[in-house]
């Protein structure tokens, strides 16, 4: 392309932006994190707005369900790298730009602070909380401005983050993901979601990586009543062995829908106020033939079900489907090794639908259609082209201001569903950093915990990684490194030693009261000092009372913003707070806090993370959090 | 209704969760016409082709130019000089093989002036960069034929969107936070009887803490009424007093979640169920009493609803019971009570519909549709958009002036855009299009702005010269980013119109890209 052509092409930009700014744009280097719905729009807009040096990263591959909005992809691209195809498609239309595509995980050492330093601006087009927090921390550490964005259905949001000048992504609290007590899941379900979570656990138990903490069932245990120590009290289900001899699917069905249920139904204490679950025998169910119009209907029986997936299966259909799933998944398991549950995999989804519905039927809970189960199991957030287009456009408006050094004029913008009064977009100025933010202000935090009861592993996994979003924490007390994550630099002995240390309770590993613990993360280039405060009052993890709100109170972090303040008293910025919009984004993770074991007398203390798929999936948006839409709405009015 | 196949269900999964299969079927039946395949037009269509409208047609006689390559994603270098409608159409079709696309190589203005009936079979027409006169011709034709018109333009950093539909009915307006329809303060007989049948004193503590709060409130409202002359708490102090009374009835307020829920929902529970004003307006609409065999199903249903409300003084019960603390059996019982009553109301309404149908000699209405209407009776919405001609012949001067008097208002852009239209009509080019004319164009445009303001009887000093100069500087340029953003906003409103879900904006929207602000008014 010659100069004249290029000038003619860019005429509009030069006229409206001015030559100087347009050159700044052309010379800038920018990073786009995420090549999903927003990422596609963003890449297109950047290229057609004069940006010439762009890198884009995404670890995901293209899925059929992306094609209703991620317009740089076609059917023939399914299974390929999003970042790479996005680059190819854009270059086809605009060969004169430099785009580098990375098919990889932004949270790994390949993309540490050195990588980020190369850019004048980073733009997040991400879906999940942990990656967003990670990018936030790295951008703060290398002082590169970050534009943060998200969409959910018709809602969307864009904001700008700059070290020392604006709020960072973690200045405002985010709600924690929904949690269910293990006893509810395992023994006492009362809603469809409980059975769905159970079915996902069962999937992991049967076909996933062996995981001791997955307590959903013990396949060979046929004890249904009594204490094994006192043989005279014991009742066993001898039928289990017979079924096992018949074959795999007979065995599994009998175990989970007969033996386990039989055992539960014998716990008279639990069924004082409601009818006990009824064990199902496979043979009698199959002989029953088609008992369609079975017992239950959906709670929300309003819509006219026309789609196959929206039809409610009868109990008999669920059983047939469940057995077929067992066959198919077992075969795949034997061929490919352990399976990871994926909402977009047909048979994984059929399995969870059928298994959860059979269990629901046993407990007298309404069954759900596959479509609805998918929503709940996959935590699916609606996503459409229109919202992404608006958000993609808004990001570039902010990007131009950042590149032009006009940070003061940058805004936070929210897109609403319904134009109320005069607003479809709500724009507000950027807030100052929260001086109490442990991420962007140098700040110590305190951890109140029972150091006699909490293990090092719980500290690392549940507190440091899950709650404080460290990727690979290194724990130091004084000059001694106590704990180092990641396996790359460690010898087998060191890993072995680490495993032993993980089992210790904190107090036995120098992490006792009033110790100042330094936690560092090299990938995030982030560190924080934590003062450990022992408290006898803090419960053991998972031993909280049955009341929902107390489930997660086994540790407390002081000095970190906590989600609690009522909406009305919040300032504008936090009502429509980006982090609030982006709460339940680790979509495949449903955390289970184990409370009481089925035998009410013993307390157990495992935490199971039903993490179906740890990979960041395609979602380009935070969740349609009802709270958020409420908050947005309230503000809008 | 067209059946989406398995693969499409999967491809459309994320949007089906937003507008459901009925919304999708409506989209798939729609046929949309775009006048001018500019960046703004193409980006709007892109967001409609992706979710799967039925068909689109692009009318455009321009050739792909270098400037299109600079701002339009749906043209390619090798298509330079080719007809733009054809090129954009082909590239858009690649996005979704289920969508039919066609192109008409003709000047849209010529088409409007010579063959206006060309537009009669579309559901919706998107007009981009159509001068005022032919636009008004088109608008009038579409309005008379009950076809939606969407005007969208991007001009420098400014975006303009205008919707116009003679009558738009929304059954599923899907409010963000719909109130539960529980009738606590005025329970129907079956509900009240059930509440009365529960003897709280006889329950053990487990049972006591698992009586649904709805029932608790009904019981204690009755208890209150019996000592307060049959009246519910009305004033604030009375309500506070009731709250204390209610809490005092709990055996252990800290642990009885059902009592906690009662207190949380107390304010809502005091509200009697009323007919919302939007719905009331529909019921009062003359169309409900002027039914003929040609009346829409919507109006037949509205008439039936009107007679229902006249008799029962309430809308039909929704029937849904939100999750609340209760024992399973009790909850199911409660659900059944509400559901039975809702079904009773539905058959009452259906009966009224049938008698109206037989009176006016109209065919039956599908039961599903009646049911949907009944369930959404509280959220019905009707909009009659002002036409573009009305906007000009009966301008909303007060609204415009009121806005112009505000600091940093966006109405100035509306005025200047109107003036730019007139400029184009007069000089057959946009102001500032030629660099050498910028200075003279500024004063020409300023004159037109002043003239327009005087016509509207608005003081001319309300539009500063800066805005006129800014627009002249834009020289009609279309920035991709603004085009894309306006395409997003426009297609979103079009989807609301086509699916008849959610309430679309009414009727004019201005976006200012300089500070990412927008405003909408009924003009």
């Amino acid at each position: 392309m010659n100069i004249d052509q290029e000038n003619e092409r860019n005429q509009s930009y030069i006229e409206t932006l001015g030559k100087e700014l347009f050159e700044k744009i052309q010379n800038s280097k920018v990073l786009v994190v995420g090549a999903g719905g927003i990422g596609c729009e963003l890449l297109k807009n950047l290229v057609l707005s004069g940006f010439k040096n762009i890198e884009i990263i995404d670890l995901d591959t293209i899925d059929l369900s992306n094609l209703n909005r991620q317009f740089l992809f076609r059917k023939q691209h399914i299974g390929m790298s999003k970042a790479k195809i996005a680059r190819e498609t854009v270059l086809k239309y605009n060969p004169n730009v430099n785009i580098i595509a990375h098919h990889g995980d932004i949270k790994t050492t390949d993309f540490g602070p050195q990588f980020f330093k190369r850019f004048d601006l980073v733009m997040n087009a991400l879906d999940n909380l942990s990656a967003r927090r990670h990018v936030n921390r790295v951008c703060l550490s290398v002082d590169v401005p970050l534009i943060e964005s998200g969409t959910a259905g018709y809602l969307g949001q864009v904001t700008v983050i700059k070290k020392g000048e604006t709020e960072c992504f973690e200045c405002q609290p985010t709600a924690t993901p929904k949690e269910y007590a293990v006893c509810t899941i395992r023994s006492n379900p009362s809603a469809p979601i409980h059975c769905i979570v159970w079915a996902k656990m069962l999937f992991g138990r049967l076909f996933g990586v062996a995981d001791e903490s997955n307590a959903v069932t013990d396949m060979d245990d046929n004890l249904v009543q009594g204490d094994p120590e006192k043989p005279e009290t014991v009742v066993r289900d001898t039928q289990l062995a017979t079924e096992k001899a018949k074959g795999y699917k007979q065995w599994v069905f009998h175990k989970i829908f007969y033996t386990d249920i039989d055992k539960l139904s014998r716990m008279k204490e639990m069924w004082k106020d409601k009818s006990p679950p009824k064990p199902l025998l496979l043979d009698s169910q199959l002989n029953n033939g088609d008992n369609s119009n079975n017992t239950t209907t959906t709670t929300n029986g309003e819509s006219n079900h026309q789609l196959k997936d929206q039809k409610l299966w009868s109990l008999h259909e669920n059983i047939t489907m469940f057995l077929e799933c067992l066959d198919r998944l077992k075969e795949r398991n034997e061929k490919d090794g352990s399976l990871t549950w994926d909402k977009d995999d047909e048979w994984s989804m059929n399995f969870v639908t059928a298994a959860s519905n059979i269990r629901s039927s046993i407990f007298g809970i309404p069954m759900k259609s596959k479509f609805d189960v998918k929503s709940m199991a996959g935590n699916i957030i609606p996503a459409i082209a229109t919202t992404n287009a608006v958000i993609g456009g808004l990001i570039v408006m902010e990007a131009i201001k950042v590149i032009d050094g006009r940070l003061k004029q940058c805004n936070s913008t929210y897109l609403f569903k319904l134009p109320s009064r005069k607003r479809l977009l709500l724009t507000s100025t950027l807030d100052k950093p929260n001086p109490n933010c442990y991420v962007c202000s140098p700040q110590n935090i305190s951890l109140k915990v029972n150091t006699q009861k909490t293990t090092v592993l719980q500290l690392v996994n549940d507190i440091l990684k899950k709650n404080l979003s460290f990727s690979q924490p290194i724990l130091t007390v004084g000059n001694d490194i106590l704990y180092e994550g990641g396996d790359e630099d460690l010898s087998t002995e060191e890993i072995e030693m680490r495993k032993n240390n993980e089992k210790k309770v904190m107090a036995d590993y120098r992490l006792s009261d009033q110790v100042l613990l330094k936690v560092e993360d090299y990938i995030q280039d982030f560190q924080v000092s934590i003062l450990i405060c022992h408290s006898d009052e803090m419960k053991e993890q998972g031993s909280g009372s049955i009341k929902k709100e107390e489930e997660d109170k086994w540790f407390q972090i002081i000095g970190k913003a906590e989600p609690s303040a009522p909406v009305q008293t919040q300032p504008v910025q936090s009502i429509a707070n980006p982090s609030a919009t982006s709460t339940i984004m680790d979509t495949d993770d449903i955390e289970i806090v184990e409370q009481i074991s089925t035998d009410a007398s013993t307390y157990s203390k495992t935490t199971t993370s039903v993490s179906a798929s740890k990979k960041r999936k395609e979602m380009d948006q935070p969740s349609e959090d009802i709270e958020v839409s409420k908050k947005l709405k309230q503000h809008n009015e | 209704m067209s059946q989406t196949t398995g693969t499409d269900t999967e491809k459309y999964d994320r949007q089906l969760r937003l507008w459901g299969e009925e919304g999708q079927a409506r989209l798939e039946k729609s046929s949309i016409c775009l006048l001018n395949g500019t960046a703004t037009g193409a980006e709007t269509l892109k967001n409609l082709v992706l979710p799967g409208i039925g068909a689109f047609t692009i009318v455009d006689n321009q050739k792909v130019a270098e400037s299109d390559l600079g701002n339009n994603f749906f043209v390619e270098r090798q298509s330079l000089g080719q007809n733009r409608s054809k090129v954009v159409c082909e590239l858009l079709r690649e996005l979704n093989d289920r969508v039919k696309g066609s192109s008409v190589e003709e000047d849209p203005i010529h088409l409007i002036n010579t063959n206006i009936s060309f537009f009669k079979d579309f559901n919706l027409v998107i007009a981009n960069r159509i001068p005022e006169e032919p636009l008004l011709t088109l608008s009038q034709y579409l309005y008379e034929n009950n076809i939606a018109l969407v005007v969208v333009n991007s001009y420098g950093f400014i975006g303009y969107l205008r919707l116009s539909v003679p009558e738009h009915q929304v059954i599923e307006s899907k409010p963000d936070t719909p109130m539960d329809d529980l009738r606590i303060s005025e329970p129907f007989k079956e509900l009240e009887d059930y509440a009365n049948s529960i003897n709280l004193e006889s329950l053990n503590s487990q049972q006591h803490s698992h009586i649904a709060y709805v029932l608790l409130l009904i019981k204690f409202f009755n208890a209150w009424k019996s000592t307060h002359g049959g009246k519910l708490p009305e004033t604030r102090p009375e309500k506070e007093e009731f709250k204390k009374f209610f809490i005092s009835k709990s055996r252990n307020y800290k642990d009885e979640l059902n009592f906690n829920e009662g207190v949380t929902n107390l304010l809502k529970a005091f509200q009697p169920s009323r007919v919302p004003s939007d719905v009331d307006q529909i019921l009062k609409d003359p169309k409900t009493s002027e039914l003929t065999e040609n009346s829409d199903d919507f109006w037949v249903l509205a008439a039936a609803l009107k007679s229902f409300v006249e008799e029962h003084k309430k809308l039909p019960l929704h029937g849904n019971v939100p999750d609340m603390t209760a024992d399973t059996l009790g909850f199911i019982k409660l659900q059944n009570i509400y559901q039975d009553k809702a079904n009773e109301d539905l058959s009452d309404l259906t009966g009224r519909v049938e008698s109206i149908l037989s009176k006016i000699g109209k065919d039956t209405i599908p039961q599903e549709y009646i049911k949907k209407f009944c369930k959404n009776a509280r959220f019905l919405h009707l909009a009659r958009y002002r036409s573009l001609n009305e906007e000009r012949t009966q301008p909303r001067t007060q609204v415009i002036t009121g806005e112009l008097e505000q600091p940093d208002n966006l109405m100035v852009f509306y005025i200047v855009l109107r003036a730019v239209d007139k400029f184009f009509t007069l000089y057959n080019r946009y102001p500032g299009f030629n660099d050498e004319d910028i200075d003279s164009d500024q004063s020409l445009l300023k004159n037109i702005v002043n003239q327009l303001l005087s016509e509207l009887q608005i003081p001319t000093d309300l539009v500063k010269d800066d805005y006129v100069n800014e627009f002249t500087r834009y020289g009609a340029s279309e920035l991709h980013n603004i085009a894309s953003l306006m395409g997003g906003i426009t297609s979103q409103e079009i989807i609301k119109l086509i699916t008849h879900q959610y309430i679309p904006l009414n009727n004019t929207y201005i976006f200012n890209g300089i500070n990412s602000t927008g405003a909408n008014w009924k003009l």
Side-chain angles (χ1 to χ4, degrees), chain B residues 9-170:
Chain B
T9 309
E10 215 177 316
K11 182 166 93 180
Y12 294 145
D13 183 271
R14 299 303 186 271
Q15 68 199 42
L16 287 170
R17 287 168 201 283
L18 202 56
W19 54 65
E21 202 227 350
E22 198 183 314
Q24 186 65 32
R26 287 209 159 111
L27 270 186
E28 288 180 16
K29 273 195 297 191
S30 67
S31 176
I32 293 178
C33 179
L34 167 67
L35 305 181
N36 287 327
T38 58
T40 309
E43 289 294 322
T44 306
L45 266 191
K46 175 197 90 199
N47 304 328
L48 296 168
V49 170
L50 285 166
I53 51 169
F56 69 89
T57 301
I58 304 177
V59 183
D60 191 348
N61 68 335
Q62 299 206 36
K63 306 280 186 250
V64 175
E66 198 68 48
S67 60
D68 291 309
L69 293 181
N71 73 5
N72 194 334
F73 189 71
F74 295 95
V75 295
E76 291 172 304
R77 174 144 294 276
Q78 65 259 34
S79 51
L80 262 179
Q82 292 176 28
N83 178 252
R84 193 166 67 182
S85 65
K86 189 160 166 286
V87 172
V88 173
C89 172
E90 287 307 312
L91 290 173
L92 281 173
R93 276 173 55 178
E94 278 184 19
L95 297 179
N96 192 341
D97 52 18
R98 278 180 64 98
V99 178
K100 292 192 205 78
S102 57
S103 56
V104 174
E105 187 176 349
E106 197 177 332
D107 177 8
I109 301 172
H110 185 253
L111 190 63
I112 292 168
N113 289 334
T114 59
N115 183 17
I116 190 93
S117 62
F118 171 85
F119 297 101
K120 73 176 186 326
D121 295 325
F122 294 105
N123 304 95
L124 186 144
V125 178
I126 305 167
N128 173 236
R129 295 254 168 149
I130 301 294
E132 190 169 27
E133 211 174 308
L135 184 64
L136 289 173
T137 310
L138 177 68
S139 162
Q140 187 165 356
Y141 176 82
L142 297 179
Y143 207 81
E144 283 162 6
N145 288 277
N146 205 15
I147 298 167
L149 169 66
V150 174
V151 185
V152 56
N153 290 312
S154 315
Y155 203 111
F157 279 112
I158 305 302
Y160 166 85
L161 170 64
R162 170 71 155 88
L163 310 185
S164 167
V165 202
E167 185 180 295
H168 183 68
Q169 308 151 348
V170 186

Side-chain angles (χ1 to χ4, degrees), chain A residues 15-16, chain B residues 155-156 416 420 423 429-446 449 465-477:
Chain A
E15 272 168 6
T16 41
Chain B
Y155 203 111
V416 182
V420 165
F423 186 105
R429 65 182 162 82
Y430 286 106
F433 188 74
N434 303 316
D435 286 352
E436 59 273 19
D437 298 334
I438 286 188
D439 289 342
S440 53
D441 282 1
Q442 275 176 6
S443 49
L444 291 176
L445 184 60
K446 180 66 193 169
V449 167
D465 285 359
D466 296 357
Y467 294 104
V468 173
N469 299 347
E470 191 179 322
F471 264 76
T472 315
R473 188 166 58 82
Y474 291 159
S477 61

